Amino acid sequence: QVTLRESGPALVKPTQTLTLTCTFSGFSLSTSGMCVSWIRQPPGKALEWLALIDWDDDKYYSTSLKTRLTISKDTSKNQVVLTMTNMDPVDTATYYCARTTLVGATTQPLDYWGQGTLVTVSS
Amino acid sequence: EIVMTQSPATLSVSPGERATLSCRASQSVSSNLAWYQQKPGQAPRLLIYGASTRATGIPARFSGSGSGTEFTLTISSLQSEDFAVYYCQQYNNWPLWTFGQGTKVEIK
């Protein structure tokens, strides 16, 4: 049974750095083809893909946010961590982590999602 | 970046009726298109992938079609639990994935 759960602060101040942790079970990020992504959703708005880390520790970022994002993994703890610097009120959103897989050269969709964590940016 | 455009923004449908949702990509995404359902306060749930394959446990009343730039999600007979927001997502441009802005299916 695959599960993911996001954790982190509910409130951050402008200019601060946000650190979120995704703790997962039911799969291993050391298994070939496994990947974890972060996606966010401002209140009442659409989903936005942020970052992805794969089993081989390759990292990919949203073009518009790549200067502010860092993704990393701790395979032994089954965790993926996302940091976002210089937070702004427009970054207020629910942040989700989700799993995807690479099957050969074929990408797959986001098949399992965490329940999300709401982060509010306010002074 | 591939832009995904969904229409309509809101669809008002009576229970038991058919709902047809559209998604258009700004360039070809082949069949690497997924549909997700999201209910208030919940995470998105994968419904369809590969443009037309139902995910595990998804009822047969949900079907997807299309390829290239034009895609459709059809719900053949709306049940009360189907009223939600639906998002399309392209995963062709690895891994710079993009989502549509969503279609809200509401009770008429």
Side-chain angles (χ1 to χ4, degrees), chain A residues 4-47:
Chain A
L4 302 96
R5 186 183 74 251
E6 305 86 353
S7 58
L11 179 66
V12 297
K13 290 180 167 50
T15 76
Q16 286 186 335
T17 294
L18 171 68
T19 299
L20 296 172
T21 300
C22 175
T23 303
F24 56 87
S25 63
F27 67 98
S28 173
L29 249 186
S30 61
T31 300
S32 179
M34 289 296 169
C35 311
V36 171
S37 268
W38 285 93
I39 304 101
R40 71 177 179 179
Q41 184 175 38
K45 296 188 177 180
L47 300 158

XYZ file of all heavy atoms in Angstrom, chain A residues 4-47:
325
model
N 1.732 8.612 1.007
C 2.633 9.753 1.127
C 1.996 10.753 2.084
O 0.763 10.904 2.105
C 2.875 10.423 -0.224
C 3.447 9.551 -1.341
C 2.338 9.027 -2.242
C 4.466 10.300 -2.175
N 2.836 11.440 2.830
C 2.336 12.429 3.784
C 3.294 13.601 3.831
O 4.494 13.430 4.032
C 2.184 11.819 5.168
C 1.522 12.739 6.191
C 1.463 12.110 7.574
N 2.779 12.109 8.227
C 3.494 11.029 8.431
N 3.068 9.845 8.011
N 4.654 11.091 9.033
N 2.737 14.798 3.676
C 3.524 16.017 3.719
C 3.533 16.592 5.133
O 2.527 16.482 5.856
C 2.955 17.078 2.773
C 2.789 16.649 1.339
C 1.466 15.940 1.086
O 0.723 15.659 2.059
O 1.141 15.665 -0.076
N 4.637 17.201 5.503
C 4.717 17.874 6.805
C 5.582 19.115 6.671
O 6.484 19.185 5.811
C 5.272 16.929 7.875
O 6.550 16.461 7.515
N 5.291 20.078 7.538
C 6.031 21.318 7.513
C 5.246 22.405 8.209
O 4.143 22.162 8.724
N 5.781 23.617 8.219
C 5.096 24.705 8.928
C 3.840 25.131 8.208
O 3.791 25.139 6.971
C 6.150 25.823 8.926
C 6.986 25.552 7.727
C 7.032 24.071 7.593
N 2.847 25.511 8.983
C 1.597 26.012 8.403
C 1.704 27.499 8.065
O 0.963 27.998 7.221
C 0.442 25.777 9.366
N 2.633 28.174 8.723
C 2.758 29.619 8.548
C 4.235 29.982 8.443
O 5.049 29.543 9.264
C 2.121 30.350 9.732
C 2.188 31.872 9.731
C 1.353 32.441 8.584
C 1.699 32.422 11.079
N 4.567 30.738 7.417
C 5.912 31.287 7.286
C 5.812 32.772 6.983
O 4.806 33.237 6.426
C 6.747 30.581 6.187
C 6.953 29.121 6.524
C 6.098 30.725 4.834
N 6.861 33.488 7.330
C 6.876 34.929 7.088
C 7.505 35.216 5.728
O 8.347 34.448 5.235
C 7.665 35.632 8.187
C 6.988 35.638 9.550
C 7.833 36.360 10.587
C 7.076 36.655 11.858
N 6.365 35.514 12.423
N 7.117 36.326 5.138
C 7.762 36.730 3.878
C 9.276 36.796 4.037
O 9.783 37.198 5.092
C 7.160 38.112 3.613
C 5.836 38.068 4.276
C 6.020 37.246 5.515
N 9.961 36.387 2.998
C 11.424 36.297 2.863
C 12.014 35.045 3.521
O 13.170 34.714 3.260
C 12.184 37.545 3.379
O 12.209 37.524 4.804
C 11.580 38.820 2.857
N 11.246 34.354 4.345
C 11.770 33.155 4.981
C 11.884 32.004 3.982
O 11.344 32.052 2.882
C 10.889 32.732 6.163
C 11.027 33.616 7.387
C 10.260 33.069 8.579
O 9.290 32.321 8.453
N 10.698 33.464 9.781
N 12.592 30.962 4.410
C 12.728 29.746 3.628
C 11.781 28.685 4.157
O 11.721 28.447 5.369
C 14.180 29.225 3.675
O 15.033 30.160 3.010
C 14.298 27.861 2.986
N 11.036 28.078 3.252
C 10.106 27.006 3.585
C 10.789 25.658 3.384
O 11.437 25.432 2.353
C 8.880 27.081 2.676
C 7.891 25.913 2.747
C 7.178 25.895 4.094
C 6.889 25.986 1.599
N 10.629 24.786 4.375
C 11.123 23.421 4.241
C 9.970 22.451 4.468
O 9.339 22.482 5.527
C 12.250 23.125 5.241
O 13.345 24.009 4.988
C 12.737 21.686 5.088
N 9.687 21.633 3.475
C 8.631 20.644 3.547
C 9.222 19.246 3.404
O 10.168 19.038 2.633
C 7.604 20.861 2.432
C 6.811 22.162 2.477
C 5.983 22.313 1.198
C 5.914 22.198 3.699
N 8.629 18.311 4.127
C 9.082 16.920 4.067
C 7.947 16.030 3.600
O 6.803 16.173 4.061
C 9.567 16.445 5.451
O 10.650 17.275 5.875
C 10.031 14.999 5.396
N 8.257 15.159 2.684
C 7.327 14.131 2.217
C 7.833 12.787 2.734
O 8.941 12.361 2.379
C 7.266 14.137 0.700
S 6.251 12.826 -0.029
N 7.030 12.155 3.567
C 7.386 10.830 4.097
C 6.476 9.813 3.439
O 5.245 9.968 3.459
C 7.211 10.802 5.619
O 8.011 11.838 6.204
C 7.645 9.452 6.183
N 7.074 8.799 2.856
C 6.285 7.859 2.078
C 6.538 6.419 2.514
O 7.530 6.120 3.203
C 6.558 8.019 0.581
C 8.011 7.879 0.196
C 8.558 6.638 -0.089
C 8.825 8.993 0.119
C 9.880 6.505 -0.442
C 10.157 8.878 -0.241
C 10.698 7.631 -0.512
N 5.645 5.548 2.106
C 5.779 4.115 2.367
C 5.158 3.344 1.217
O 4.373 3.893 0.436
C 5.108 3.734 3.693
O 3.719 3.986 3.629
N 5.511 2.091 1.119
C 4.954 1.232 0.080
C 5.797 1.170 -1.184
O 5.457 0.428 -2.108
N 6.856 1.950 -1.237
C 7.807 1.871 -2.345
C 9.132 2.454 -1.859
O 9.207 3.061 -0.792
C 7.317 2.625 -3.590
C 7.235 4.124 -3.440
C 8.257 4.946 -3.899
C 6.136 4.719 -2.830
C 8.184 6.323 -3.760
C 6.044 6.092 -2.679
C 7.070 6.908 -3.144
N 10.179 2.221 -2.642
C 11.494 2.727 -2.290
C 12.024 3.618 -3.401
O 11.910 3.295 -4.589
C 12.470 1.563 -2.077
O 13.786 2.056 -1.898
N 12.589 4.734 -3.012
C 13.182 5.645 -3.987
C 14.548 5.161 -4.454
O 15.201 5.853 -5.232
C 13.296 7.057 -3.417
C 12.393 8.123 -4.016
C 12.710 9.490 -3.474
C 12.385 8.119 -5.529
N 14.973 4.008 -3.999
C 16.188 3.412 -4.547
C 15.854 2.413 -5.645
O 16.754 1.873 -6.291
C 16.986 2.719 -3.436
O 16.225 1.691 -2.846
N 14.571 2.185 -5.878
C 14.134 1.271 -6.939
C 14.137 1.994 -8.277
O 13.577 3.095 -8.393
C 12.728 0.732 -6.654
O 12.734 0.029 -5.410
C 12.252 -0.193 -7.766
N 14.727 1.380 -9.265
C 14.813 1.989 -10.581
C 13.442 2.398 -11.093
O 12.478 1.613 -11.051
C 15.455 1.007 -11.562
O 15.525 1.571 -12.847
N 13.353 3.625 -11.551
C 12.109 4.133 -12.128
C 11.241 4.929 -11.174
O 10.319 5.621 -11.604
N 11.528 4.851 -9.891
C 10.680 5.565 -8.925
C 11.055 7.049 -8.841
O 12.241 7.392 -8.876
C 10.795 4.949 -7.537
C 10.142 3.595 -7.429
S 8.378 3.692 -7.680
C 7.980 1.951 -7.831
N 10.039 7.890 -8.717
C 10.238 9.331 -8.647
C 9.204 9.927 -7.690
O 8.092 9.399 -7.570
C 10.035 9.993 -10.003
S 10.902 9.229 -11.383
N 9.572 11.041 -7.082
C 8.629 11.807 -6.257
C 8.645 13.258 -6.718
O 9.708 13.833 -6.960
C 8.981 11.719 -4.765
C 8.142 12.696 -3.951
C 8.770 10.294 -4.254
N 7.459 13.810 -6.868
C 7.288 15.200 -7.286
C 6.626 16.014 -6.185
O 5.922 15.468 -5.332
C 6.392 15.273 -8.529
O 7.125 15.233 -9.712
N 6.812 17.327 -6.274
C 6.054 18.289 -5.472
C 5.186 19.111 -6.421
O 5.643 19.521 -7.504
C 6.976 19.203 -4.692
C 7.608 18.554 -3.496
C 8.816 17.935 -3.436
C 7.044 18.456 -2.176
N 9.049 17.458 -2.174
C 7.973 17.765 -1.378
C 5.853 18.890 -1.585
C 7.756 17.504 -0.029
C 5.635 18.621 -0.246
C 6.574 17.935 0.518
N 3.965 19.350 -5.979
C 2.978 20.129 -6.736
C 2.297 21.061 -5.728
O 2.119 20.702 -4.572
C 1.909 19.197 -7.361
C 2.580 18.129 -8.243
C 0.874 19.990 -8.146
C 2.699 16.790 -7.572
N 1.927 22.246 -6.150
C 1.209 23.138 -5.239
C -0.073 23.648 -5.876
O -0.247 23.586 -7.105
C 2.078 24.310 -4.799
C 2.358 25.347 -5.876
C 3.172 26.499 -5.302
N 3.473 27.509 -6.313
C 4.163 28.622 -6.065
N 4.618 28.869 -4.834
N 4.391 29.487 -7.033
N -0.953 24.159 -5.003
C -2.251 24.640 -5.450
C -2.675 25.817 -4.584
O -3.101 25.623 -3.439
C -3.280 23.516 -5.382
C -4.639 23.886 -5.918
C -5.593 22.701 -5.937
O -5.589 21.861 -5.032
N -6.397 22.614 -6.985
N -2.578 27.038 -5.083
C -3.099 28.182 -4.328
C -4.594 28.018 -4.091
O -5.275 27.347 -4.898
C -2.807 29.369 -5.242
C -1.707 28.909 -6.140
C -1.968 27.442 -6.351
N -5.115 28.605 -3.046
C -6.547 28.448 -2.734
C -7.428 28.806 -3.927
O -7.314 29.898 -4.482
C -6.757 29.407 -1.566
C -5.414 29.512 -0.919
C -4.425 29.413 -2.034
N -8.288 27.890 -4.322
C -9.224 28.117 -5.414
C -8.606 28.144 -6.797
O -9.296 28.490 -7.773
N -7.342 27.781 -6.898
C -6.670 27.859 -8.191
C -6.188 26.488 -8.658
O -6.447 25.474 -8.017
C -5.508 28.851 -8.115
C -5.964 30.277 -7.851
C -4.825 31.255 -7.977
C -5.319 32.684 -7.774
N -4.225 33.677 -7.894
N -5.487 26.497 -9.785
C -5.092 25.249 -10.418
C -3.803 24.680 -9.809
O -3.120 25.327 -9.013
C -4.912 25.465 -11.917
N -3.489 23.484 -10.235
C -2.300 22.789 -9.779
C -1.072 23.277 -10.557
O -1.153 23.584 -11.754
C -2.463 21.279 -10.001
C -3.648 20.640 -9.261
C -4.054 19.341 -9.926
C -3.271 20.399 -7.803
